[in-house]
Amino acid sequence: MEATFSSPGEVALQREAGVPGLLTPLSDLDRVYELERVVAFVRDLECQRVALQFPDQLLGDAGAVAARLEETTGSKMFILGDTAYGSCCVDVLGAEQAGAQALVHFGPACLSPPDRPLPVTFVLGQRSVALDLCAKAFEAQNPDPKVPVVLLSEPACAYALEDLATLLRPRYLDLVVSSPAFPLPAGSLSLELEPLERFGRRFPLAPGRCLEEYGAFYVGGSEASPDPDPDLSRLLLGWAPGRPFSSCCPDTGKTKDEGAWAGRLRARRQYLVERARDARVVGLLAGTLGVAQHREALTHLRNLTQAAGKRSYVLALGRPTPAKLANFPEVDVFVLLACPLGTLAPQPSGSFFRPVLAPCELEAACNPAWPPPGLAPHLTHYADLLPGSPFYMPLPPPESELWDTPDVSLITGELRPPPAWKSSNDPECSALTPQPQLELAESSPAASFLSSRSWQGLEPRLGQTPVTEAVSGRRGIAIAYEDEGSS
């Protein structure tokens, strides 16, 4: 019976983890992974130990790439896998544990600055782009050559944007080509010549021009996937709502107007803001430990919830999953503190017991002074909410009238009460109500939630259960215990 319905336990211990085969032919490794540039990076730094970070979908080529680099450079290569959070972030913690002097990141990257200084180079990959088809699609979407447009792309297609712009510039004069915002060496650009940096990209705008004046043409995506990836969602949320935004498949040249989907994303975000305003308990999910300023952002979010009269809990769970977050039913909403791509990644699943928000939604829900005047885009990176950012907006003082503005929930239709600290400062309420002895004056949200449940767990019955010696129980597995025999 055991062999029929299950495998013996020894099989799991003796099983070898199969190594997937090569995803890329050996003859194409140098081109696909830009090994010549990586070798120059290692030799320039004279590194003896280098960490190689691969996403899960590229681990099949990791061994061959590491062997080729070790043979060429003579340095020791360490393959980093099983990142605790998103694979788009630089895993500086894993590199430090391996004693690496530099890191090479392969695959899509959010380009967020790491928390610790470490020489890093990025290999985004090179997806094939049909330039002629994309140029015709651009002309069909933009018949007026005088309309300003920005060329955008997914990370693997960024190398082809300049070639695409070369085909379009004889007719389109007001065309801006974005580029990935790789970390620049210190002193490489002066402050006067530094381009605008936003959405993990750099925009070389002319003096006096702003990004809100431009439409967008995005090269990337796939026709097989109906929903945009986190990188495209980040752009749709942050782009000016009144400007056109279209996407083009690099393989077929088929275009799609993303305006309707952008409206759905913004409506979804506004709903999450309303849920955050109604929430009493907020769970702050630590979604990164390697991105810069994550500690300052966590302190900022805790101050936000305290100022709004909410209770917050900090949870370190690794990658958020519905099963993990379902263990905290007393939490009303969760806020994921991660990189811009990691913040938007869990949203399309829709299977979470409680909604998962970005830090920007919590800022809009708890700070009555938000958003700043003239701020149109939706921010996706928590660094934009901290002091020093042009979008930073401090909390109003306690005596400000913004805290007393009536607020009605668009979900329940009820009037939201003011923060608890606001009512305690009312000079007309100076009388003290005596509390009976041994009465709990303030209970935690978790205890209040537990007391409202119909089943609170097994009763302890302390002192009522007789003490007995421990006895040997059944042995075996559930389908075939040893005392059941062969029947």
Side-chain angles (χ1 to χ4, degrees), residues 31-392:
R31 177 185 58 84
V32 173
Y33 291 96
E34 304 179 34
L35 297 187
E36 183 177 354
R37 182 169 64 87
V38 175
V39 169
F41 168 77
V42 175
R43 288 178 175 174
D44 291 343
L45 296 176
E46 298 181 355
C47 299
Q48 300 301 322
R49 302 167 68 90
V50 181
L52 307 179
Q53 181 178 348
F54 291 84
D56 294 341
Q57 62 270 20
L58 297 180
L59 281 178
D61 293 340
V65 172
R68 186 74 61 85
L69 290 176
E70 285 186 348
E71 179 183 357
T72 307
T73 63
S75 303
K76 183 66 175 177
M77 301 293 165
F78 296 87
I79 300 175
L80 302 182
D82 191 23
T83 55
Y85 302 102
S87 59
C88 60
C89 301
V90 176
D91 190 6
V92 292
L93 297 179
E96 287 184 353
Q97 292 175 359
Q101 301 167 314
L103 187 145
V104 182
H105 185 284
F106 296 93
C110 61
L111 301 180
S112 301
D115 188 44
R116 294 170 174 81
L118 184 71
V120 180
T121 186
F122 295 89
V123 179
L124 301 179
Q126 296 185 1
R127 180 181 176 184
S128 61
V129 178
L131 294 177
D132 295 336
L133 296 179
C134 293
K136 294 180 181 179
F138 182 92
E139 295 174 354
Q141 290 291 324
N142 302 275
D144 188 359
K146 299 180 180 179
V147 176
V149 183
V150 173
L151 286 179
L152 303 164
S153 72
E154 66 178 42
C157 299
Y159 75 99
L161 288 187
E162 283 293 346
D163 295 337
L164 179 61
T166 303
L167 299 178
L168 299 174
R169 278 201 174 107
R171 180 183 178 189
Y172 297 88
L173 301 179
D174 198 354
L175 189 65
V176 175
V177 181
S178 64
S179 59
F182 294 120
L184 296 176
S188 59
L189 288 178
S190 62
L191 295 178
E192 292 78 13
L193 299 178
E194 186 175 0
L196 174 67
E197 184 173 328
R198 197 180 296 177
F199 314 120
R201 295 166 171 84
R202 292 190 176 95
F203 301 90
L205 301 180
R209 304 297 298 273
C210 60
L211 194 59
E212 287 73 19
E213 302 175 7
Y214 288 80
F217 185 81
Y218 180 86
V219 180
S222 174
E223 298 180 10
S225 178
D227 298 337
D229 58 1
D231 181 64
L232 180 55
S233 299
R234 177 189 187 184
L235 291 169
L236 293 177
L237 286 171
W239 211 257
R243 306 306 302 170
F245 198 111
S246 58
S247 64
C248 173
C249 179
D251 301 324
T252 62
K254 185 177 181 180
T255 59
K256 182 172 60 173
D257 186 5
E258 301 289 351
W261 186 260
R264 293 177 58 185
L265 288 176
R266 296 190 185 99
R268 169 66 179 173
R269 293 293 159 178
Q270 187 60 37
Y271 166 75
L272 294 177
V273 172
E274 292 296 317
R275 290 292 300 267
R277 288 172 177 166
D278 291 340
R280 294 178 58 249
V281 184
V282 179
L284 303 178
L285 301 176
T288 179
L289 295 178
V291 180
Q293 295 184 297
H294 69 275
R295 297 180 182 87
E296 294 83 351
L298 184 59
T299 303
H300 176 71
L301 297 183
R302 297 184 67 179
N303 294 336
L304 273 179
T305 55
Q306 184 179 4
K310 306 178 187 297
R311 186 69 62 88
S312 63
Y313 295 94
V314 180
L315 306 173
L317 306 175
R319 296 184 184 181
T321 61
K324 291 179 182 179
L325 302 188
N327 293 317
F328 306 95
E330 65 274 10
V331 177
D332 297 322
V333 294
F334 294 94
V335 179
L336 180 58
L337 187 68
C339 70
L341 302 185
T343 302
L344 300 175
Q347 299 303 324
S349 62
S351 58
F352 287 92
F353 180 66
R354 293 282 190 254
V356 181
L357 285 68
C360 181
E361 280 96 53
L362 186 65
E363 182 83 27
C366 299
N367 189 352
W370 182 268
L375 178 62
H378 179 98
L379 306 178
T380 55
H381 192 21
Y382 59 76
D384 296 329
L385 309 176
L386 301 178
S389 169
F391 306 113
Y392 171 70

